[in-house]
Structures are given as C-alpha cells and as structure tokens.
Amino acid sequence: MTKKALALLLALTLLLALAACAAAPSPAPDPAPDRTEPPADSSPDPEPPEPAEPPAPEPEPYEIADPKVMPEGGVKDGVAYAAYDGLVEHLFFHPVIAYPELAFDGDAQEKGLDDFMVTVDEFNKILSSVYERGYVLVDIADVWSETTDEAGNPVMVRNTLYLPEGKKPVVFSYDDTNYYPYMLENGFAYKLVIGEDGKVWSWGIDPQGNEVVSRDLDAIPVLDKFVEEHPDFSPFGAKACLSLTGYEGILGYRTQTDTKAWDDAKEANRQAERQAVQPIIEELRRTGWTFGSHTWGHIRLGSGNLGKIQADTEKWMDEVGSLVGPTTILFYPHGERPDGNDWKQTGPVFQYLQQQGFRVFCSVGVESFSYIKKDICAVICDRLHPDGTTLRYSRNRYLQFYDAKDIMDTSVRPDLGVGEDWA
C-alpha cells in the first residue's frame, strides 16, 4: 500500500471514532438533593467562639491567727509578744458619710446623721489616731470562750491575749451595714462589690449622678486598705464585726422578704440578690471580717414581747444567718437591754436569745464595760460610739483614742455647737 493510501485509511478511522463518541448517551444526572439539608460544601461558617472570660484574680494570701496562743519563744517575725489581761476596748461605727454635701443639706435627716455618723475623712483620722496610740485590732470572738466549770456547767471565760509588747487591744464593730434606702439619697455608698482585683470595693452614686466604684468611700474597704498599709494594726488579721439587720437586706443587696406582699417575680429577684452577695460575704470572711445579729427588724429587745422577739430571731436566722453563717454575737438595737437590766437579772427574753446560740451581748455605753454572767453562759458588754454626738460633747472621754478637735470636720457639719470640754 502506498503512503498516500495509508494516510487516507488513518484519517477515515479517526473520523469514525469521533462520530461514535458524539452518538453515545450522556450519563444520567444525580437525583435532586434533599433540600432539608444544606449541600456538604455549602454549610454555614461556624460561629466565632465567645470571648473567654478573663480569669478571676488569685486572691492575695491572708493569714488569720489566734491571739490566745503565744508565739513560740514569745517572738514572731522579730516582734516580742506578752500576755495581756486588761480591758479590751470596743468602738463601734455606723456606715460612714461619703458625700457630706448630701448628708448635711438641711433636710429632715440632717440632725440624725450628724448625731450618729462620721464622715469618711473623720473615720480616716480616727483610724490613724487609734493606730498611733498603740491599739491593735482583735476579733470580738477571741476575747471570751465557752467552757465548762468544775460541775460540768457551760460558762464563759475571759481569755488571756498575747499581744505585741506595748500594744493594747481594741474591737471594732459596724452597726447597720445594710445600706438602707434612706442612706442612698444622703451621701452613703449604695453597696459592696467585688472589684477587678478580687477585693471588696463600694459602689455608689456621687452628687453629680455618676457611678463611683471606690475603696475610699466606705468604712469596710477603707479599713481593708489601712490594714494593708499598716499590717501591724492587725497582727492577727482581725478587721471588724458587722452588725446586720435583715429587713432591708444586707450589704446593699435586697435579700429580704416583704411582709406585706409577695409574688414569684419578687422571690426571683430576692434569690438573685442572695446569689450576688455570696462572693462578698466569702471575701469578707476570708479577710478577717465577722458577722453578728442586730435583729432582723431592728426591734426593741426591752419590750418584753417574747413572741415578737422569737419570730424576729427566726427570720434573722432564715434570711441573714443562712447567708453569713452562725454567730454568737448579738448587738442590741438602740442599745436597749432585754428584760430591762441584763446584767442584774436574766429574764425570759435573755434566756431565749442565749438558747439560740448567742453568747456575747453588746449594748452601748460610756465605757467599754464587760461582765461575765454567773447564772447563764453569756457575756454582756458595752461599746463606745465615735459619732457626731460624742465628737461634739464627749471629747474628754475619747482622748485615749483621739482628740475630737483634730477629728470633727466643722467645715462640712452643721453649726450645732460643742461641749464645754472643747474649751
């Protein structure tokens, strides 16, 4: 076969093959996709992850020691300790005034606030003076202990405290640390909060309506800061005992029930407030603060109405004690003693309160008086009260702690005069 014929034959073969491919049927299409599910290659992009919560700051270590135990060898951290069996002074405060211009503005609350409160600046000066005069903080629960006598009866005994040589003990307590509504419009902090550093701060509204979170405007964070700066003021880690009612909640949180009307929404809010206050209670306890009862309704214990007192005590245990834990400390509202005279007689009200676990009963007086009762396992004591009344009219009585002339801020308080001992 010639080369020309061979070329023609190859061309014809190629044409026949192309024709066969063109005539072949197309493959059947895939069945329609199930529209209830997106195609595999068209799934939505995954949601971006939620930003991680910043880790909570590690709490700074805080040591709470027992002043009833002498350090080994009588020396701790280079400081010599010695036994102390003398008087334990007791000072109590109400919440401090952060903004005097709101407290002392001529309204119906002004006189009471002047009588019973100090400003934050006055409180700072009192702290510095008490510290400079050689006092150290001790926990009220460490001053007395419950034990049994030779006959096996429960009794209270005064403990020997081992203090840094030359120092004198003082107990601090704060009444009405509840941040009642009347306080909020009169220049006080609104509540306690946990700051970004994990410490206790106050939250409130300044006179211009701005939110303020601070450690300088409330007696609790102020004392915390003072101890941080002067750790020798609290060699055992003690701070103060917070005297709590319950009828307007605690620490600025509305944890109370309403005795007049209630519904599911109010109960849900109450439970949310109870949950919100718990971290603050825990941090306070961890850093040397303790809690006592001031009764639920700030009631008068001298009324003799045992039924009312029993109902009130049960309500405190249910709404406050369930949050802060058990306590042996009871602070008398209005300084009013149960049964008329609790240190000369033990009536049914005192007996009932003692049966509920209270052992240290605190009133108010002109000296830090204390007395261990002989007929029942209990201690009664009085507390001194730095406030507007004693700054004005009891200068001499408080000179061992401070001089009212150096403390009272006459530039912000109303002009109500001072006592003769100011001369």
Side-chain angles (χ1 to χ4, degrees):
M1 182 178 294
T2 64
K3 292 181 178 180
K4 185 175 181 180
L6 181 59
L8 289 172
L9 179 59
L10 293 172
L12 180 61
T13 302
L14 180 61
L15 289 172
L16 290 172
L18 292 172
C21 290
S26 300
D30 291 335
D34 184 353
R35 295 305 179 191
T36 63
E37 297 180 4
D41 61 352
S42 62
S43 59
D45 292 334
E47 291 291 331
E50 291 290 331
E53 289 286 336
E58 286 291 326
E60 296 178 3
Y62 196 86
E63 180 182 356
I64 298 176
D66 187 347
K68 303 186 295 296
V69 178
M70 173 70 86
E72 185 176 352
V75 176
K76 180 180 179 183
D77 299 330
V79 176
Y81 283 67
Y84 180 91
D85 291 303
L87 178 68
V88 178
E89 297 286 359
H90 189 158
L91 302 178
F92 94 90
F93 302 84
H94 288 100
V96 298
I97 296 167
Y99 302 107
E101 62 268 42
L102 297 180
F104 305 128
D105 57 357
D107 67 4
Q109 298 282 359
E110 180 184 72
K111 181 61 167 61
L113 297 177
D114 181 76
D115 283 345
F116 302 123
M117 312 319 197
V118 297
T119 69
V120 69
D121 288 339
E122 292 168 342
F123 182 71
N124 275 309
K125 292 176 184 176
I126 290 171
L127 280 184
S128 295
S129 182
V130 170
Y131 170 71
E132 291 166 1
R133 282 164 165 75
Y135 288 94
V136 293
L137 292 172
V138 295
D139 184 346
I140 188 172
D142 289 329
V143 180
W144 300 276
S145 292
E146 180 174 350
T147 185
T148 55
D149 62 16
E150 294 178 354
N153 300 311
V155 293
M156 297 297 289
V157 295
R158 166 63 196 280
N159 296 317
T160 296
L161 304 178
Y162 297 96
L163 307 179
E165 284 187 343
K167 299 297 184 179
K168 301 165 289 187
V170 63
V171 168
F172 274 14
S173 57
Y174 294 176
D175 279 13
D176 300 308
T177 317
N178 302 80
Y179 306 87
Y180 301 130
Y182 85 86
M183 294 179 177
L184 308 187
E185 60 189 24
N186 280 287
F188 295 79
Y190 280 49
K191 63 181 178 180
L192 300 178
V193 296
I194 298 294
E196 293 181 355
D197 57 1
K199 297 177 181 179
V200 175
W201 294 55
S202 70
W203 181 92
I205 304 293
D206 71 12
Q208 291 72 46
N210 303 307
E211 295 186 20
V212 179
V213 179
S214 174
R215 296 185 78 204
D216 300 314
L217 296 174
D218 180 86
I220 291 175
V222 165
L223 183 56
D224 278 339
K225 280 186 63 177
F226 192 87
V227 170
E228 289 170 14
E229 296 163 1
H230 308 87
D232 56 329
F233 184 47
S234 183
F236 311 103
K239 299 289 179 55
C241 188
L242 303 182
S243 168
L244 298 171
T245 63
Y247 69 97
E248 291 289 358
I250 64 171
L251 307 178
Y253 295 80
R254 302 311 172 210
T255 56
Q256 78 278 9
T257 53
D258 187 332
T259 56
K260 297 178 181 177
W262 205 244
D263 56 34
D264 290 345
K266 289 181 178 179
E267 180 60 23
N269 181 72
R270 183 175 88 93
Q271 293 300 330
E273 292 283 276
R274 284 175 62 88
Q275 184 175 2
V277 77
Q278 198 64 59
I280 295 149
I281 294 169
E282 292 171 1
E283 180 61 13
L284 289 170
R285 278 199 174 281
R286 188 185 74 84
T287 54
W289 299 86
T290 59
F291 301 92
S293 172
H294 202 34
T295 76
W296 184 86
H298 206 266
I299 63 173
R300 293 188 176 276
L301 297 176
S303 67
N305 188 334
L306 183 57
K308 180 179 179 179
I309 291 168
Q310 289 173 330
D312 180 275
T313 303
E314 291 170 5
K315 204 168 185 66
W316 191 93
M317 298 291 188
D318 180 56
E319 295 190 6
V320 183
S322 62
L323 288 168
V324 303
T327 181
T328 60
I329 316 299
L330 177 64
F331 299 93
Y332 296 158
H334 314 283
E336 186 173 288
R337 301 177 185 278
D339 308 310
N341 192 332
D342 59 352
W343 62 280
K344 287 188 175 179
Q345 61 185 12
T346 303
V349 172
F350 195 100
Q351 292 177 18
Y352 166 76
L353 293 169
Q354 193 270 355
Q355 291 165 3
Q356 306 314 301
F358 297 115
R359 295 294 182 267
V360 181
F361 297 77
C362 305
S363 188
V364 181
V366 296
E367 60 179 334
S368 299
F369 162 89
S370 64
Y371 175 73
I372 296 176
K373 290 177 72 69
K374 302 298 189 295
D375 60 337
I376 193 170
C377 183
V379 176
I380 58 174
C381 59
D382 278 3
R383 308 174 287 162
L384 293 167
H385 50 111
D387 54 25
T389 301
T390 57
L391 285 174
R392 291 182 186 278
Y393 306 115
S394 298
R395 173 174 170 257
N396 286 345
R397 176 61 190 85
Y398 288 78
L399 284 174
Q400 70 193 90
F401 306 109
Y402 54 80
D403 189 335
K405 289 183 177 181
D406 301 326
I407 303 299
M408 193 169 79
D409 189 349
T410 56
S411 69
V412 298
R413 286 184 176 269
D415 184 10
L416 299 176
V418 295
E420 294 180 358
D421 56 2
W422 270 59

